[in-house]
Amino acid sequence: MKCIHITCPNCKKIFEVEYDLIPVEGRDVQCSSCDTIWFYEIEEKKKISDILKKYPSELPKDLEDLISDAETAK
């Protein structure tokens, strides 16, 4: 299980969240401490999505390595 740390922009509380719970397009998250709601996206997922849109028929070598590393880390 790969986790990331998300920091509330209001109260600065840090949360550990499973990586797979944040989709490529991002999502709204809510702080359980101060109830602030904000949009959060994982920059590397966004970059991968943008590259896949740009190269729909083939993956660049560095992206293949990145995907392979991500799958190994799980």
Side-chain angles (χ1 to χ4, degrees), residues 51-52 55 58-69:
I51 291 170
L52 290 174
Y55 301 98
E58 63 180 72
L59 295 176
K61 183 64 179 154
D62 59 340
L63 182 59
E64 290 176 7
D65 293 341
L66 179 63
I67 292 170
S68 176
D69 290 346

Side-chain angles (χ1 to χ4, degrees), residues 10-28:
N10 184 51
C11 72
K12 307 303 181 204
K13 181 167 180 158
I14 299 171
F15 299 92
E16 186 174 82
V17 178
E18 286 187 39
Y19 182 84
D20 292 336
L21 292 178
I22 307 295
V24 172
E25 63 274 4
R27 66 178 282 182
D28 285 335

Side-chain angles (χ1 to χ4, degrees), residues 37-53:
I37 298 172
W38 73 99
F39 185 79
Y40 186 83
E41 62 185 337
I42 299 173
E43 203 55 42
E44 69 183 35
K45 282 188 176 185
K46 186 177 182 318
K47 288 178 185 176
I48 291 171
S49 176
D50 291 345
I51 291 170
L52 290 174
K53 288 176 188 170

